[in-house]
Amino acid sequence: PSLSGLNAGSASTSPKSNQEKEDDESDVSPHKSRPLTRSNTVKPTFEEYLERQAFCEATQQLIDREKHLFWETAEAEANKEAVEKLAADHKALEQHVWQILQQSLSLSTEEEVSALASAVKAINLEEEQDQLWRQNPQTPPAWRPSEWKKHHDEVLQKLVNGRMDNPSSPIGDQVNQSSIEAEIQSMGRQLKEDLQWVVEVVKNCYPPEMDICNFYARQYHQTFSARLKKIVGSVDDKDCSFLLRWDLMIYIGRVLDEAKKEWDQGKEPTRDDGCYVSPVAYDVIQVQLLHKLVIKKAEIDAFIKMYQTFHEDVIKQNKPHSKAFIKANLSCVEQFRDFLVEHNLFPEDVRENCLQVLTEMKQSAHTYLLTPVHKILKPHYQKLGTSDWLKKNTFEKLLNSTEDELQELQGSSQSSYQELIGQLQQEVTVEYVRRLLKGKVKLKNTKKQQKAYKIVRENAEKLHELFGSEQDWLKEILTNIAEVLRLQDIPAIQMQIVSLGSAYPDLSEEHVSALLKLKTNLSQADMNTITSTVLDTLKESYTGGETRRFFSNVVMMSPSFPTCITSCSG
């Protein structure tokens, strides 16, 4: 069912009584005094609360009566009639609460959603009262402990069983499916629709600590698994393959649930040789290899999206153990990526979609882990390309801080770690070039330009040594920029910039202008000549094809120049 315009968050409200409506209608003048009525002077009776489905208020009223009879006045022995009335009211309330619970997956009005929210609050009040009685030496009434939370779980378990026994979703394509396939598909659709309903509506009726979404997910998983086991006895090959595929997806879901459970409990992933590890990728891959099944697009899409949602939730919540989980996930992403590339178990479109999701997960993990690093390095970035950078050895502080952060970034597999710090090296190099091209330092003569040349070359070499990577291209970019600073001959400067622009067509006219402005001994006419010649040469020599991008990440302040001097996307 669909609840259009339903506001589950306002579930604690209840409709006005007839008397209240009459009062509202009769009060036509702001100066007219409201008559004293039952609605605004006396609390509703227990029966009135039940009629309004205000179960929380009804429960509190019964608890107050219970405390009065058994704790405050000790009238329970003498006033058996009051005790019997209280017991009867408690029984009536309980029946109403279970009735609304049984409608949890078929709520059709805002009032019913409000009633469910009130029932959940009532259950928690009863749990609190049970706990108080456990701490009290007096003899409790016959209905204590009421154990409503336990009964709540049992009611919902029966509800789920009933939904899976009699799914309301239409049976699938009977022509192309066996009866077993159609039955399982129907149960699967019911499961999906019900869990979506839980997330969109039922969840709003429960406090977060009751974790109702995971409760329902476990119930459906257990029930669905049990149904599969019942029909697995005698099936043909086609049905067997179909069942195995469903069993695989259930197992995969269970693996992911275990990872979520550890996350919710605040546990860090286990370590193996100093690296955080998660069983998600290993277990899922082993099951897929074992069954050698052709997984349907919808099924693998569902898993990969669930995994991505879990991954992004870990990042969003940013708990103390988030970094450990993300490092473990990076290793999983790498395993999944290698598996998809090496094994032909999926259609091409499915594989490409999964690889795209895995790439997004890797990028979000890198951003999450590296953003705090750049925040720490920012004070050192600010010294780059300044007079202090030229006169003093300020770059060493950036190197030392970066080295410390490299230690903190460890924890994923070696190859995942190398990818991560390779990304950091690229981002640090981008920031280095951006700060240099801001032009805070003025190289007024050949001597200063020679000094800047040596510093940039030394910085490039030390950065390369620090990261210990094979990304020679990043060092070469800085070396080429250093050469432009060193050269004094106009044609030589032109050739050096053409060499840089040929390798990186995303080098823009703005970048060239900023680089030349560092050499303040160049006249405006010289700069115009160099820029014009470089622009023409690169346009003529550009042949297209894939090239590595770098300068498009070096964002300059002025928007007046074209994106790249070759007018290409690289």
Side-chain angles (χ1 to χ4, degrees):
S2 173
L3 297 184
S4 58
L6 184 68
N7 181 7
S10 60
S12 62
T13 60
S14 57
K16 291 183 178 181
S17 67
N18 292 333
Q19 182 64 56
E20 287 175 313
K21 291 178 181 176
E22 290 172 6
D23 291 342
D24 289 345
E25 293 168 358
S26 63
D27 190 12
V28 294
S29 168
H31 303 292
K32 184 177 180 180
S33 61
R34 185 184 298 273
L36 292 177
T37 65
R38 179 183 181 86
S39 63
N40 56 25
T41 60
V42 181
K43 284 185 179 181
T45 64
F46 170 75
E47 289 75 14
E48 287 172 334
Y49 277 137
L50 272 193
E51 185 179 351
R52 298 178 187 182
Q53 294 188 307
F55 303 124
C56 176
E57 291 82 355
T59 302
Q60 187 60 61
Q61 190 179 94
L62 295 191
I63 289 175
D64 290 343
R65 285 163 56 187
E66 181 180 311
K67 289 179 179 178
H68 178 76
L69 281 172
F70 288 87
W71 292 349
E72 296 171 2
T73 62
E75 293 180 0
E77 287 294 329
N79 198 342
K80 291 186 178 181
E81 184 178 343
V83 173
E84 290 174 359
K85 178 66 168 68
L86 180 55
D89 287 347
H90 193 273
K91 184 66 176 176
L93 172 62
E94 187 174 13
Q95 290 173 348
H96 278 76
V97 168
W98 304 147
Q99 185 177 2
I100 193 64
L101 273 181
Q102 289 163 357
Q103 300 174 37
S104 294
L105 300 177
S106 56
L107 303 170
S108 57
T109 66
E110 186 173 344
E111 287 73 20
E112 288 179 352
V113 175
S114 175
L116 177 60
S118 188
V120 171
K121 292 177 182 177
I123 290 168
N124 287 329
L125 284 176
E126 281 289 299
E127 282 292 297
E128 291 173 9
Q129 184 66 2
D130 280 352
Q131 187 61 34
L132 290 175
W133 269 110
R134 291 187 184 98
Q135 300 167 5
N136 194 304
Q138 294 174 270
T139 302
W143 57 87
R144 293 291 171 200
S146 65
E147 297 186 320
W148 277 19
K149 177 60 172 65
K150 178 182 177 182
H151 196 41
H152 161 276
D153 294 352
E154 293 170 350
V155 169
L156 295 190
Q157 186 177 11
K158 290 179 181 178
L159 173 62
V160 170
N161 287 339
R163 303 282 287 190
M164 298 304 285
D165 284 338
N166 301 288
S168 60
S169 298
I171 298 296
D173 182 2
Q174 295 282 8
V175 176
N176 298 318
Q177 290 183 321
S178 69
S179 60
I180 289 178
E181 283 183 291
E183 181 182 354
I184 295 174
Q185 287 281 30
S186 186
M187 285 195 298
R189 276 192 294 267
Q190 185 70 64
L191 179 152
K192 180 181 177 182
E193 290 173 6
D194 286 353
L195 289 183
Q196 185 175 355
W197 179 260
V198 169
V199 171
E200 293 177 356
V201 178
V202 177
K203 177 184 177 182
N204 297 316
C205 300
Y206 283 78
E209 59 269 18
M210 290 187 75
D211 199 15
I212 193 62
C213 291
N214 276 330
F215 175 83
Y216 268 105
R218 286 193 298 272
Q219 297 306 314
Y220 272 102
H221 171 261
Q222 292 166 4
T223 304
F224 194 45
S225 297
R227 298 299 184 274
L228 287 181
K229 289 176 182 177
K230 274 187 179 180
I231 59 178
V232 80
S234 56
V235 294
D236 58 24
D237 290 343
K238 180 183 177 183
D239 285 337
C240 184
S241 176
F242 185 79
L243 285 170
L244 282 173
R245 188 165 62 240
W246 270 105
D247 191 49
L248 165 62
M249 296 313 297
I250 289 173
Y251 178 79
I252 289 173
R254 187 185 302 157
V255 170
L256 193 54
D257 283 342
E258 286 300 315
K260 289 179 181 178
K261 187 184 296 183
E262 289 194 358
W263 158 254
D264 291 336
Q265 293 172 350
K267 296 180 181 177
E268 281 196 349
T270 56
R271 281 181 178 261
D272 184 13
D273 289 335
C275 300
Y276 291 109
V277 293
S278 167
V280 173
Y282 177 81
D283 287 352
V284 170
I285 289 170
Q286 292 306 309
V287 171
Q288 289 175 347
L289 287 174
L290 178 64
H291 291 310
K292 296 286 186 182
L293 296 174
V294 179
I295 309 300
K296 287 188 175 181
K297 182 179 188 299
E299 294 162 357
I300 194 63
D301 278 354
F303 163 71
I304 205 73
K305 286 176 181 175
M306 283 192 298
Y307 189 36
Q308 185 180 31
T309 299
F310 169 56
H311 175 83
E312 298 301 335
D313 193 43
V314 170
I315 290 175
K316 184 179 179 181
Q317 293 191 40
N318 193 27
K319 294 182 179 179
H321 58 307
S322 284
K323 287 185 179 179
F325 262 87
I326 293 304
K327 289 174 182 178
N329 279 357
L330 269 179
S331 301
C332 285
V333 166
E334 180 188 26
Q335 288 177 274
F336 278 130
R337 184 182 61 203
D338 293 345
F339 173 75
L340 287 168
V341 171
E342 294 169 8
H343 296 85
N344 190 27
L345 291 181
F346 306 99
E348 187 60 27
D349 61 328
V350 174
R351 183 166 64 169
E352 289 300 320
N353 179 65
C354 289
L355 287 172
Q356 176 61 33
V357 172
L358 292 173
T359 298
E360 291 171 3
M361 290 175 66
K362 183 184 76 171
Q363 290 171 344
S364 66
H366 283 186
T367 300
Y368 175 69
L369 294 172
L370 296 182
T371 297
V373 175
H374 291 301
K375 188 175 181 180
I376 291 171
L377 298 181
K378 185 176 180 179
H380 306 302
Y381 288 151
Q382 292 171 337
K383 298 290 185 181
L384 296 174
T386 65
S387 56
D388 280 349
W389 165 78
L390 194 62
K391 296 175 183 177
K392 304 173 184 177
N393 200 15
T394 57
F395 186 74
E396 288 297 325
K397 293 181 179 179
L398 173 62
L399 283 178
N400 293 336
S401 292
T402 304
E403 186 174 12
D404 292 340
E405 293 308 309
L406 290 180
Q407 298 294 322
E408 291 296 320
L409 290 173
Q410 291 181 353
S412 52
S413 67
Q414 184 60 27
S415 51
S416 295
Y417 173 68
Q418 287 300 326
E419 272 194 276
L420 177 63
I421 66 171
Q423 181 66 30
L424 177 60
Q425 183 183 3
Q426 184 173 341
E427 292 175 6
V428 170
T429 307
V430 164
E431 188 63 19
Y432 185 102
V433 173
R434 189 181 75 84
R435 295 281 178 174
L436 182 62
L437 296 186
K438 287 181 76 172
K440 288 188 176 182
V441 63
K442 303 300 181 184
L443 308 175
K444 298 178 181 180
N445 51 50
T446 302
K447 183 179 179 181
K448 284 191 173 182
Q449 290 170 23
Q450 289 288 340
K451 185 174 183 180
Y453 157 75
K454 290 181 180 178
I455 290 175
V456 173
R457 280 189 65 95
E458 288 174 2
N459 292 171
E461 190 62 44
K462 288 181 177 179
L463 266 181
H464 189 70
E465 290 175 2
L466 174 64
F467 283 93
S469 69
E470 298 178 358
Q471 298 196 95
D472 293 334
W473 64 283
L474 292 171
K475 183 175 75 171
E476 289 170 1
I477 287 174
L478 295 182
T479 302
N480 282 334
I481 289 174
E483 285 294 328
V484 174
L485 299 179
R486 181 184 68 84
L487 295 170
Q488 301 300 313
D489 182 56
I490 298 296
I493 294 173
Q494 290 171 344
M495 289 181 62
Q496 190 65 41
I497 298 177
V498 166
S499 174
L500 188 61
S502 297
Y504 305 98
D506 59 343
L507 177 73
S508 74
E509 185 177 352
E510 184 181 9
H511 294 127
V512 174
S513 176
L515 179 56
L516 293 176
K517 283 180 180 178
L518 292 173
K519 300 167 71 72
T520 54
N521 59 342
L522 284 175
S523 67
Q524 187 62 49
D526 287 339
M527 287 194 289
N528 291 341
T529 299
I530 294 171
T531 302
S532 176
T533 303
V534 168
L535 179 66
D536 292 341
T537 303
L538 286 173
K539 281 185 176 180
E540 290 173 4
S541 62
Y542 180 67
T543 58
E546 291 188 9
T547 54
R548 184 178 270 132
R549 300 179 69 84
F550 176 83
F551 286 96
S552 54
N553 296 317
V554 182
V555 180
M556 307 298 291
M557 296 300 293
S558 172
S560 59
F561 290 94
T563 302
C564 61
I565 52 184
T566 56
S567 299
C568 66
S569 61

